[in-house]
Amino acid sequence: MRMRRLRVGAATVAVALTVTACGFHTSDSAKARASAAAAASLMARIQQGSKLVVGVEFNQPGIGVKDPTTGLFSGFDVEIANLIAGRLGVKEYDIEFREIVPSNRETSLITGAVDLVIASYSITDARRAMVGQAGPYLVTGQQLLVRKDDDSISGPAALKGKKVCAMTGSPSLKTMQQKYGAKPAPFATYTECVTQLLNKAVDAVTTDGAILLGYASSQPEQLKVVGAPFSTERYGIGFKRGDSATCAALRQALVQIFADGSWIKAFKQTLGKAGVPTPLKPVVDPTC
């Protein structure tokens, strides 16, 4: 009987030790998971002194341009990136710009190649299923770019029989042809389209008004944007999906730059050089 009681006591101690050990193990695992989750947040990394890597366009006048001689960046999206970074607590020398193109925006965010994408990146449900998008920081829409001395085109209704250029595969070309009777003229880039326009090989270029304003602002004596937008595009800031802390910080930063006048100043110094009025400040979405 004594031996049996000792065995029961030993077993009880063993179970208690096992439970205690498991308890410590569970607690350590929870802490590790919490630490990993915090490290995954862009805001946590910024607070730890990490650089901020922003994907921008390198060859889009008025939006995002890298000067090949100086290596300096300019454009409305670049200004927005600098303003947002400052509100997030990032010093200017801790911002790294990397080139982004439409085909790799989501992939670059998902893989962590960039922390943010600020590159005329329209907010859509399909994109928000893959990445986070805070904003909008600009509301634009499809418009027309024409030569400054051409008063025959004031909007899409005047396009019948006119040659209209857009990027190859752009759905706007099909719309121009089917809805307005224009003759489509596809090219690989909008820069090529603008060259064709200046050479009088086409009559108009169509895409987002913000992009067209970029070209017009770089050559205001030769180009102008005409007509009201006939679609709606809401430019947002892309980040890794599920990062709620970054979503909240970006939303707050946007509200701040709208309120303190820096957003208006950024527009006037870039796209506003096309001679257009400053647009209304957007209302930031409650979610990302």
Side-chain angles (χ1 to χ4, degrees), residues 193-244:
C193 281
V194 172
T195 299
Q196 295 296 312
L197 178 63
L198 292 171
N199 291 338
K200 299 186 177 181
V202 302
D203 301 299
V205 179
T206 187
T207 186
D208 294 354
I211 293 173
L212 299 180
L213 284 175
Y215 287 108
S217 66
S218 65
Q219 301 180 76
E221 301 303 317
Q222 294 180 283
L223 299 169
K224 63 182 179 181
V225 177
V226 297
F230 45 99
S231 72
T232 300
E233 300 294 335
R234 304 163 65 248
Y235 288 177
I237 302 173
F239 63 98
K240 186 167 285 189
R241 190 170 187 265
D243 189 347
S244 58

mmCIF file of all heavy atoms in Angstrom, residues 193-244:
data_model
loop_
_atom_site.group_PDB
_atom_site.id
_atom_site.type_symbol
_atom_site.label_atom_id
_atom_site.label_comp_id
_atom_site.label_asym_id
_atom_site.label_seq_id
_atom_site.Cartn_x
_atom_site.Cartn_y
_atom_site.Cartn_z
ATOM 1 N N CYS A 193 2.565 58.308 -77.097
ATOM 2 C CA CYS A 193 1.308 58.931 -77.510
ATOM 3 C C CYS A 193 1.451 60.452 -77.572
ATOM 4 O O CYS A 193 0.987 61.099 -78.523
ATOM 5 C CB CYS A 193 0.185 58.569 -76.543
ATOM 6 S SG CYS A 193 -0.529 56.923 -76.784
ATOM 7 N N VAL A 194 2.095 61.022 -76.560
ATOM 8 C CA VAL A 194 2.268 62.471 -76.523
ATOM 9 C C VAL A 194 3.157 62.939 -77.673
ATOM 10 O O VAL A 194 2.902 63.986 -78.292
ATOM 11 C CB VAL A 194 2.842 62.909 -75.157
ATOM 12 C CG1 VAL A 194 3.221 64.383 -75.169
ATOM 13 C CG2 VAL A 194 1.830 62.631 -74.055
ATOM 14 N N THR A 195 4.183 62.166 -77.981
ATOM 15 C CA THR A 195 5.039 62.496 -79.130
ATOM 16 C C THR A 195 4.225 62.508 -80.416
ATOM 17 O O THR A 195 4.366 63.409 -81.253
ATOM 18 C CB THR A 195 6.195 61.484 -79.245
ATOM 19 O OG1 THR A 195 6.988 61.540 -78.060
ATOM 20 C CG2 THR A 195 7.071 61.793 -80.451
ATOM 21 N N GLN A 196 3.352 61.512 -80.565
ATOM 22 C CA GLN A 196 2.478 61.451 -81.746
ATOM 23 C C GLN A 196 1.542 62.658 -81.796
ATOM 24 O O GLN A 196 1.270 63.215 -82.864
ATOM 25 C CB GLN A 196 1.660 60.153 -81.721
ATOM 26 C CG GLN A 196 2.467 58.880 -81.858
ATOM 27 C CD GLN A 196 3.172 58.787 -83.200
ATOM 28 O OE1 GLN A 196 2.560 59.009 -84.249
ATOM 29 N NE2 GLN A 196 4.456 58.464 -83.176
ATOM 30 N N LEU A 197 1.072 63.069 -80.631
ATOM 31 C CA LEU A 197 0.173 64.223 -80.556
ATOM 32 C C LEU A 197 0.896 65.506 -80.971
ATOM 33 O O LEU A 197 0.375 66.300 -81.769
ATOM 34 C CB LEU A 197 -0.364 64.363 -79.126
ATOM 35 C CG LEU A 197 -1.292 65.552 -78.844
ATOM 36 C CD1 LEU A 197 -2.565 65.457 -79.669
ATOM 37 C CD2 LEU A 197 -1.638 65.612 -77.352
ATOM 38 N N LEU A 198 2.092 65.701 -80.465
ATOM 39 C CA LEU A 198 2.861 66.898 -80.795
ATOM 40 C C LEU A 198 3.245 66.925 -82.274
ATOM 41 O O LEU A 198 3.364 68.005 -82.878
ATOM 42 C CB LEU A 198 4.108 66.982 -79.923
ATOM 43 C CG LEU A 198 3.860 67.251 -78.432
ATOM 44 C CD1 LEU A 198 5.142 67.085 -77.631
ATOM 45 C CD2 LEU A 198 3.274 68.646 -78.223
ATOM 46 N N ASN A 199 3.438 65.740 -82.849
ATOM 47 C CA ASN A 199 3.772 65.632 -84.278
ATOM 48 C C ASN A 199 2.532 65.673 -85.178
ATOM 49 O O ASN A 199 2.647 65.532 -86.393
ATOM 50 C CB ASN A 199 4.549 64.336 -84.545
ATOM 51 C CG ASN A 199 5.935 64.365 -83.937
ATOM 52 O OD1 ASN A 199 6.489 65.432 -83.677
ATOM 53 N ND2 ASN A 199 6.504 63.192 -83.706
ATOM 54 N N LYS A 200 1.365 65.809 -84.559
ATOM 55 C CA LYS A 200 0.076 65.875 -85.266
ATOM 56 C C LYS A 200 -0.278 64.578 -85.998
ATOM 57 O O LYS A 200 -1.053 64.580 -86.948
ATOM 58 C CB LYS A 200 0.062 67.054 -86.246
ATOM 59 C CG LYS A 200 0.242 68.403 -85.559
ATOM 60 C CD LYS A 200 0.070 69.567 -86.527
ATOM 61 C CE LYS A 200 0.191 70.889 -85.781
ATOM 62 N NZ LYS A 200 0.004 72.055 -86.667
ATOM 63 N N ALA A 201 0.291 63.470 -85.511
ATOM 64 C CA ALA A 201 -0.060 62.160 -86.063
ATOM 65 C C ALA A 201 -1.352 61.635 -85.446
ATOM 66 O O ALA A 201 -2.030 60.790 -86.022
ATOM 67 C CB ALA A 201 1.070 61.165 -85.833
ATOM 68 N N VAL A 202 -1.706 62.126 -84.235
ATOM 69 C CA VAL A 202 -2.985 61.810 -83.596
ATOM 70 C C VAL A 202 -3.595 63.123 -83.122
ATOM 71 O O VAL A 202 -2.913 64.159 -83.043
ATOM 72 C CB VAL A 202 -2.824 60.823 -82.414
ATOM 73 C CG1 VAL A 202 -2.183 59.521 -82.869
ATOM 74 C CG2 VAL A 202 -2.032 61.461 -81.278
ATOM 75 N N ASP A 203 -4.887 63.069 -82.807
ATOM 76 C CA ASP A 203 -5.599 64.289 -82.407
ATOM 77 C C ASP A 203 -5.744 64.444 -80.899
ATOM 78 O O ASP A 203 -5.967 65.557 -80.417
ATOM 79 C CB ASP A 203 -6.998 64.285 -83.041
ATOM 80 C CG ASP A 203 -6.930 64.217 -84.553
ATOM 81 O OD1 ASP A 203 -6.360 65.142 -85.154
ATOM 82 O OD2 ASP A 203 -7.436 63.223 -85.128
ATOM 83 N N ALA A 204 -5.657 63.342 -80.168
ATOM 84 C CA ALA A 204 -5.833 63.399 -78.718
ATOM 85 C C ALA A 204 -5.210 62.177 -78.068
ATOM 86 O O ALA A 204 -4.973 61.149 -78.722
ATOM 87 C CB ALA A 204 -7.312 63.477 -78.361
ATOM 88 N N VAL A 205 -4.922 62.319 -76.776
ATOM 89 C CA VAL A 205 -4.451 61.198 -75.952
ATOM 90 C C VAL A 205 -5.432 61.067 -74.804
ATOM 91 O O VAL A 205 -5.887 62.081 -74.245
ATOM 92 C CB VAL A 205 -3.035 61.465 -75.406
ATOM 93 C CG1 VAL A 205 -2.578 60.295 -74.522
ATOM 94 C CG2 VAL A 205 -2.050 61.694 -76.542
ATOM 95 N N THR A 206 -5.769 59.837 -74.426
ATOM 96 C CA THR A 206 -6.713 59.649 -73.323
ATOM 97 C C THR A 206 -6.189 58.668 -72.287
ATOM 98 O O THR A 206 -5.608 57.632 -72.615
ATOM 99 C CB THR A 206 -8.091 59.185 -73.833
ATOM 100 O OG1 THR A 206 -9.018 59.182 -72.746
ATOM 101 C CG2 THR A 206 -8.031 57.795 -74.449
ATOM 102 N N THR A 207 -6.359 59.033 -71.033
ATOM 103 C CA THR A 207 -6.111 58.184 -69.859
ATOM 104 C C THR A 207 -6.555 58.993 -68.646
ATOM 105 O O THR A 207 -7.281 59.981 -68.787
ATOM 106 C CB THR A 207 -4.630 57.757 -69.750
ATOM 107 O OG1 THR A 207 -4.500 56.826 -68.668
ATOM 108 C CG2 THR A 207 -3.713 58.933 -69.504
ATOM 109 N N ASP A 208 -6.092 58.604 -67.445
ATOM 110 C CA ASP A 208 -6.446 59.356 -66.237
ATOM 111 C C ASP A 208 -6.031 60.820 -66.387
ATOM 112 O O ASP A 208 -4.925 61.122 -66.848
ATOM 113 C CB ASP A 208 -5.731 58.787 -65.017
ATOM 114 C CG ASP A 208 -6.197 57.389 -64.675
ATOM 115 O OD1 ASP A 208 -7.136 56.901 -65.306
ATOM 116 O OD2 ASP A 208 -5.595 56.799 -63.746
ATOM 117 N N GLY A 209 -6.903 61.707 -65.938
ATOM 118 C CA GLY A 209 -6.616 63.126 -66.027
ATOM 119 C C GLY A 209 -5.336 63.524 -65.325
ATOM 120 O O GLY A 209 -4.604 64.406 -65.791
ATOM 121 N N ALA A 210 -5.019 62.895 -64.195
ATOM 122 C CA ALA A 210 -3.797 63.233 -63.457
ATOM 123 C C ALA A 210 -2.557 62.968 -64.298
ATOM 124 O O ALA A 210 -1.607 63.765 -64.300
ATOM 125 C CB ALA A 210 -3.736 62.443 -62.153
ATOM 126 N N ILE A 211 -2.544 61.851 -65.006
ATOM 127 C CA ILE A 211 -1.405 61.523 -65.870
ATOM 128 C C ILE A 211 -1.302 62.529 -67.010
ATOM 129 O O ILE A 211 -0.215 63.010 -67.351
ATOM 130 C CB ILE A 211 -1.539 60.087 -66.406
ATOM 131 C CG1 ILE A 211 -1.404 59.088 -65.253
ATOM 132 C CG2 ILE A 211 -0.501 59.800 -67.489
ATOM 133 C CD1 ILE A 211 -1.675 57.647 -65.625
ATOM 134 N N LEU A 212 -2.436 62.891 -67.592
ATOM 135 C CA LEU A 212 -2.440 63.875 -68.682
ATOM 136 C C LEU A 212 -1.985 65.243 -68.171
ATOM 137 O O LEU A 212 -1.267 65.966 -68.875
ATOM 138 C CB LEU A 212 -3.831 63.965 -69.295
ATOM 139 C CG LEU A 212 -4.369 62.673 -69.923
ATOM 140 C CD1 LEU A 212 -5.764 62.904 -70.487
ATOM 141 C CD2 LEU A 212 -3.432 62.157 -71.010
ATOM 142 N N LEU A 213 -2.398 65.615 -66.968
ATOM 143 C CA LEU A 213 -1.964 66.881 -66.385
ATOM 144 C C LEU A 213 -0.444 66.910 -66.213
ATOM 145 O O LEU A 213 0.184 67.971 -66.327
ATOM 146 C CB LEU A 213 -2.637 67.123 -65.044
ATOM 147 C CG LEU A 213 -4.096 67.564 -65.070
ATOM 148 C CD1 LEU A 213 -4.655 67.645 -63.651
ATOM 149 C CD2 LEU A 213 -4.250 68.903 -65.773
ATOM 150 N N GLY A 214 0.129 65.748 -65.936
ATOM 151 C CA GLY A 214 1.579 65.665 -65.804
ATOM 152 C C GLY A 214 2.276 66.072 -67.094
ATOM 153 O O GLY A 214 3.243 66.843 -67.080
ATOM 154 N N TYR A 215 1.774 65.575 -68.222
ATOM 155 C CA TYR A 215 2.356 65.943 -69.520
ATOM 156 C C TYR A 215 2.090 67.415 -69.833
ATOM 157 O O TYR A 215 2.968 68.125 -70.335
ATOM 158 C CB TYR A 215 1.792 65.056 -70.625
ATOM 159 C CG TYR A 215 2.321 63.645 -70.586
ATOM 160 C CD1 TYR A 215 1.514 62.582 -70.174
ATOM 161 C CD2 TYR A 215 3.636 63.357 -70.958
ATOM 162 C CE1 TYR A 215 2.000 61.285 -70.135
ATOM 163 C CE2 TYR A 215 4.130 62.061 -70.919
ATOM 164 C CZ TYR A 215 3.307 61.034 -70.504
ATOM 165 O OH TYR A 215 3.791 59.755 -70.458
ATOM 166 N N ALA A 216 0.872 67.868 -69.542
ATOM 167 C CA ALA A 216 0.528 69.265 -69.818
ATOM 168 C C ALA A 216 1.352 70.215 -68.962
ATOM 169 O O ALA A 216 1.752 71.294 -69.417
ATOM 170 C CB ALA A 216 -0.964 69.491 -69.586
ATOM 171 N N SER A 217 1.630 69.825 -67.701
ATOM 172 C CA SER A 217 2.402 70.699 -66.814
ATOM 173 C C SER A 217 3.857 70.797 -67.251
ATOM 174 O O SER A 217 4.530 71.793 -66.951
ATOM 175 C CB SER A 217 2.328 70.190 -65.368
ATOM 176 O OG SER A 217 2.967 68.934 -65.229
ATOM 177 N N SER A 218 4.347 69.789 -67.953
ATOM 178 C CA SER A 218 5.741 69.829 -68.424
ATOM 179 C C SER A 218 5.875 70.598 -69.733
ATOM 180 O O SER A 218 6.974 71.039 -70.083
ATOM 181 C CB SER A 218 6.294 68.405 -68.591
ATOM 182 O OG SER A 218 5.601 67.719 -69.627
ATOM 183 N N GLN A 219 4.755 70.776 -70.458
ATOM 184 C CA GLN A 219 4.768 71.530 -71.717
ATOM 185 C C GLN A 219 3.496 72.376 -71.826
ATOM 186 O O GLN A 219 2.698 72.196 -72.749
ATOM 187 C CB GLN A 219 4.875 70.574 -72.913
ATOM 188 C CG GLN A 219 6.116 69.692 -72.887
ATOM 189 C CD GLN A 219 6.188 68.772 -74.087
ATOM 190 O OE1 GLN A 219 6.508 69.181 -75.196
ATOM 191 N NE2 GLN A 219 5.880 67.501 -73.870
ATOM 192 N N PRO A 220 3.299 73.293 -70.891
ATOM 193 C CA PRO A 220 2.034 74.045 -70.833
ATOM 194 C C PRO A 220 1.776 74.942 -72.044
ATOM 195 O O PRO A 220 0.634 75.323 -72.297
ATOM 196 C CB PRO A 220 2.176 74.877 -69.558
ATOM 197 C CG PRO A 220 3.646 74.996 -69.335
ATOM 198 C CD PRO A 220 4.223 73.714 -69.821
ATOM 199 N N GLU A 221 2.820 75.266 -72.793
ATOM 200 C CA GLU A 221 2.637 76.108 -73.980
ATOM 201 C C GLU A 221 2.173 75.309 -75.186
ATOM 202 O O GLU A 221 1.733 75.883 -76.187
ATOM 203 C CB GLU A 221 3.951 76.829 -74.318
ATOM 204 C CG GLU A 221 4.486 77.724 -73.204
ATOM 205 C CD GLU A 221 3.483 78.774 -72.794
ATOM 206 O OE1 GLU A 221 2.851 79.367 -73.689
ATOM 207 O OE2 GLU A 221 3.330 78.998 -71.576
ATOM 208 N N GLN A 222 2.267 73.995 -75.092
ATOM 209 C CA GLN A 222 1.939 73.158 -76.247
ATOM 210 C C GLN A 222 0.755 72.214 -76.015
ATOM 211 O O GLN A 222 0.130 71.762 -76.970
ATOM 212 C CB GLN A 222 3.164 72.314 -76.644
ATOM 213 C CG GLN A 222 4.336 73.133 -77.163
ATOM 214 C CD GLN A 222 5.506 72.253 -77.542
ATOM 215 O OE1 GLN A 222 6.249 71.769 -76.691
ATOM 216 N NE2 GLN A 222 5.655 72.013 -78.830
ATOM 217 N N LEU A 223 0.453 71.906 -74.739
ATOM 218 C CA LEU A 223 -0.558 70.898 -74.443
ATOM 219 C C LEU A 223 -1.578 71.407 -73.430
ATOM 220 O O LEU A 223 -1.261 72.262 -72.602
ATOM 221 C CB LEU A 223 0.116 69.628 -73.891
ATOM 222 C CG LEU A 223 1.112 68.925 -74.809
ATOM 223 C CD1 LEU A 223 1.882 67.866 -74.021
ATOM 224 C CD2 LEU A 223 0.394 68.296 -76.005
ATOM 225 N N LYS A 224 -2.774 70.837 -73.477
ATOM 226 C CA LYS A 224 -3.807 71.171 -72.487
ATOM 227 C C LYS A 224 -4.729 69.967 -72.289
ATOM 228 O O LYS A 224 -4.887 69.127 -73.182
ATOM 229 C CB LYS A 224 -4.622 72.380 -72.946
ATOM 230 C CG LYS A 224 -5.404 72.166 -74.241
ATOM 231 C CD LYS A 224 -6.159 73.430 -74.663
ATOM 232 C CE LYS A 224 -6.912 73.218 -75.977
ATOM 233 N NZ LYS A 224 -7.635 74.433 -76.420
ATOM 234 N N VAL A 225 -5.319 69.885 -71.117
ATOM 235 C CA VAL A 225 -6.301 68.850 -70.799
ATOM 236 C C VAL A 225 -7.680 69.479 -70.931
ATOM 237 O O VAL A 225 -7.922 70.575 -70.418
ATOM 238 C CB VAL A 225 -6.095 68.303 -69.372
ATOM 239 C CG1 VAL A 225 -7.179 67.277 -69.024
ATOM 240 C CG2 VAL A 225 -4.705 67.687 -69.239
ATOM 241 N N VAL A 226 -8.584 68.785 -71.645
ATOM 242 C CA VAL A 226 -9.907 69.365 -71.903
ATOM 243 C C VAL A 226 -11.023 68.442 -71.410
ATOM 244 O O VAL A 226 -10.845 67.223 -71.298
ATOM 245 C CB VAL A 226 -10.113 69.641 -73.416
ATOM 246 C CG1 VAL A 226 -9.114 70.672 -73.903
ATOM 247 C CG2 VAL A 226 -10.007 68.355 -74.239
ATOM 248 N N GLY A 227 -12.169 69.061 -71.141
ATOM 249 C CA GLY A 227 -13.360 68.314 -70.765
ATOM 250 C C GLY A 227 -13.348 67.835 -69.327
ATOM 251 O O GLY A 227 -12.295 67.672 -68.700
ATOM 252 N N ALA A 228 -14.537 67.594 -68.804
ATOM 253 C CA ALA A 228 -14.679 67.041 -67.455
ATOM 254 C C ALA A 228 -14.349 65.551 -67.477
ATOM 255 O O ALA A 228 -14.500 64.889 -68.515
ATOM 256 C CB ALA A 228 -16.106 67.255 -66.956
ATOM 257 N N PRO A 229 -13.882 64.996 -66.372
ATOM 258 C CA PRO A 229 -13.628 63.548 -66.325
ATOM 259 C C PRO A 229 -14.888 62.750 -66.650
ATOM 260 O O PRO A 229 -15.977 63.109 -66.199
ATOM 261 C CB PRO A 229 -13.191 63.314 -64.877
ATOM 262 C CG PRO A 229 -12.699 64.648 -64.407
ATOM 263 C CD PRO A 229 -13.554 65.654 -65.098
ATOM 264 N N PHE A 230 -14.748 61.698 -67.445
ATOM 265 C CA PHE A 230 -15.901 60.868 -67.765
ATOM 266 C C PHE A 230 -15.739 59.449 -67.224
ATOM 267 O O PHE A 230 -16.301 58.479 -67.746
ATOM 268 C CB PHE A 230 -16.210 60.869 -69.274
ATOM 269 C CG PHE A 230 -15.030 60.696 -70.195
ATOM 270 C CD1 PHE A 230 -14.746 59.459 -70.740
ATOM 271 C CD2 PHE A 230 -14.228 61.771 -70.534
ATOM 272 C CE1 PHE A 230 -13.680 59.296 -71.606
ATOM 273 C CE2 PHE A 230 -13.163 61.625 -71.399
ATOM 274 C CZ PHE A 230 -12.881 60.376 -71.943
ATOM 275 N N SER A 231 -14.967 59.341 -66.153
ATOM 276 C CA SER A 231 -14.884 58.118 -65.340
ATOM 277 C C SER A 231 -14.348 58.576 -63.986
ATOM 278 O O SER A 231 -14.035 59.756 -63.807
ATOM 279 C CB SER A 231 -13.950 57.076 -65.970
ATOM 280 O OG SER A 231 -12.605 57.490 -65.858
ATOM 281 N N THR A 232 -14.244 57.673 -63.030
ATOM 282 C CA THR A 232 -13.724 58.029 -61.706
ATOM 283 C C THR A 232 -12.592 57.081 -61.320
ATOM 284 O O THR A 232 -12.764 55.855 -61.332
ATOM 285 C CB THR A 232 -14.820 57.963 -60.627
ATOM 286 O OG1 THR A 232 -15.865 58.870 -60.977
ATOM 287 C CG2 THR A 232 -14.272 58.345 -59.266
ATOM 288 N N GLU A 233 -11.445 57.650 -60.995
ATOM 289 C CA GLU A 233 -10.294 56.897 -60.512
ATOM 290 C C GLU A 233 -9.865 57.503 -59.178
ATOM 291 O O GLU A 233 -9.680 58.715 -59.073
ATOM 292 C CB GLU A 233 -9.136 56.958 -61.510
ATOM 293 C CG GLU A 233 -9.451 56.397 -62.880
ATOM 294 C CD GLU A 233 -9.716 54.906 -62.884
ATOM 295 O OE1 GLU A 233 -9.218 54.209 -61.973
ATOM 296 O OE2 GLU A 233 -10.415 54.440 -63.801
ATOM 297 N N ARG A 234 -9.710 56.641 -58.174
ATOM 298 C CA ARG A 234 -9.354 57.096 -56.827
ATOM 299 C C ARG A 234 -7.975 56.548 -56.476
ATOM 300 O O ARG A 234 -7.820 55.364 -56.231
ATOM 301 C CB ARG A 234 -10.413 56.628 -55.828
ATOM 302 C CG ARG A 234 -11.817 57.092 -56.194
ATOM 303 C CD ARG A 234 -12.925 56.318 -55.470
ATOM 304 N NE ARG A 234 -12.911 56.535 -54.046
ATOM 305 C CZ ARG A 234 -12.605 55.615 -53.143
ATOM 306 N NH1 ARG A 234 -12.286 54.386 -53.526
ATOM 307 N NH2 ARG A 234 -12.649 55.899 -51.863
ATOM 308 N N TYR A 235 -6.967 57.414 -56.474
ATOM 309 C CA TYR A 235 -5.603 56.976 -56.219
ATOM 310 C C TYR A 235 -5.391 56.712 -54.723
ATOM 311 O O TYR A 235 -5.723 57.550 -53.883
ATOM 312 C CB TYR A 235 -4.600 58.030 -56.672
ATOM 313 C CG TYR A 235 -4.467 58.160 -58.183
ATOM 314 C CD1 TYR A 235 -3.641 59.130 -58.741
ATOM 315 C CD2 TYR A 235 -5.159 57.315 -59.052
ATOM 316 C CE1 TYR A 235 -3.506 59.262 -60.112
ATOM 317 C CE2 TYR A 235 -5.033 57.441 -60.427
ATOM 318 C CZ TYR A 235 -4.202 58.421 -60.951
ATOM 319 O OH TYR A 235 -4.075 58.556 -62.311
ATOM 320 N N GLY A 236 -4.824 55.542 -54.427
ATOM 321 C CA GLY A 236 -4.573 55.163 -53.047
ATOM 322 C C GLY A 236 -3.130 54.766 -52.802
ATOM 323 O O GLY A 236 -2.342 54.613 -53.735
ATOM 324 N N ILE A 237 -2.787 54.593 -51.532
ATOM 325 C CA ILE A 237 -1.446 54.174 -51.112
ATOM 326 C C ILE A 237 -1.481 52.680 -50.818
ATOM 327 O O ILE A 237 -2.202 52.228 -49.914
ATOM 328 C CB ILE A 237 -0.997 54.938 -49.859
ATOM 329 C CG1 ILE A 237 -1.008 56.449 -50.124
ATOM 330 C CG2 ILE A 237 0.397 54.477 -49.414
ATOM 331 C CD1 ILE A 237 -0.750 57.280 -48.881
ATOM 332 N N GLY A 238 -0.719 51.915 -51.572
ATOM 333 C CA GLY A 238 -0.686 50.469 -51.385
ATOM 334 C C GLY A 238 0.261 50.060 -50.266
ATOM 335 O O GLY A 238 1.327 50.655 -50.093
ATOM 336 N N PHE A 239 -0.145 49.048 -49.501
ATOM 337 C CA PHE A 239 0.708 48.480 -48.448
ATOM 338 C C PHE A 239 0.322 47.019 -48.271
ATOM 339 O O PHE A 239 -0.620 46.536 -48.903
ATOM 340 C CB PHE A 239 0.571 49.267 -47.132
ATOM 341 C CG PHE A 239 -0.827 49.233 -46.542
ATOM 342 C CD1 PHE A 239 -1.154 48.337 -45.537
ATOM 343 C CD2 PHE A 239 -1.812 50.098 -47.019
ATOM 344 C CE1 PHE A 239 -2.430 48.299 -45.002
ATOM 345 C CE2 PHE A 239 -3.097 50.067 -46.484
ATOM 346 C CZ PHE A 239 -3.413 49.167 -45.483
ATOM 347 N N LYS A 240 1.040 46.310 -47.408
ATOM 348 C CA LYS A 240 0.788 44.876 -47.241
ATOM 349 C C LYS A 240 -0.567 44.647 -46.576
ATOM 350 O O LYS A 240 -0.867 45.237 -45.543
ATOM 351 C CB LYS A 240 1.896 44.215 -46.433
ATOM 352 C CG LYS A 240 1.762 42.690 -46.348
ATOM 353 C CD LYS A 240 3.023 42.032 -45.812
ATOM 354 C CE LYS A 240 4.119 42.009 -46.851
ATOM 355 N NZ LYS A 240 5.283 41.183 -46.418
ATOM 356 N N ARG A 241 -1.375 43.788 -47.156
ATOM 357 C CA ARG A 241 -2.724 43.527 -46.668
ATOM 358 C C ARG A 241 -2.688 42.949 -45.246
ATOM 359 O O ARG A 241 -1.841 42.125 -44.911
ATOM 360 C CB ARG A 241 -3.440 42.557 -47.612
ATOM 361 C CG ARG A 241 -4.927 42.395 -47.337
ATOM 362 C CD ARG A 241 -5.585 41.622 -48.478
ATOM 363 N NE ARG A 241 -7.022 41.576 -48.351
ATOM 364 C CZ ARG A 241 -7.690 40.577 -47.780
ATOM 365 N NH1 ARG A 241 -7.027 39.538 -47.303
ATOM 366 N NH2 ARG A 241 -9.002 40.607 -47.701
ATOM 367 N N GLY A 242 -3.632 43.398 -44.413
ATOM 368 C CA GLY A 242 -3.751 42.878 -43.056
ATOM 369 C C GLY A 242 -2.980 43.663 -42.018
ATOM 370 O O GLY A 242 -3.100 43.389 -40.820
ATOM 371 N N ASP A 243 -2.202 44.659 -42.444
ATOM 372 C CA ASP A 243 -1.423 45.471 -41.501
ATOM 373 C C ASP A 243 -2.306 46.614 -41.002
ATOM 374 O O ASP A 243 -2.275 47.726 -41.523
ATOM 375 C CB ASP A 243 -0.176 46.003 -42.202
ATOM 376 C CG ASP A 243 0.797 46.680 -41.245
ATOM 377 O OD1 ASP A 243 0.397 46.962 -40.101
ATOM 378 O OD2 ASP A 243 1.953 46.938 -41.645
ATOM 379 N N SER A 244 -3.092 46.334 -39.974
ATOM 380 C CA SER A 244 -4.080 47.299 -39.485
ATOM 381 C C SER A 244 -3.437 48.549 -38.895
ATOM 382 O O SER A 244 -3.974 49.657 -39.003
ATOM 383 C CB SER A 244 -4.999 46.644 -38.457
ATOM 384 O OG SER A 244 -4.250 46.119 -37.369
#
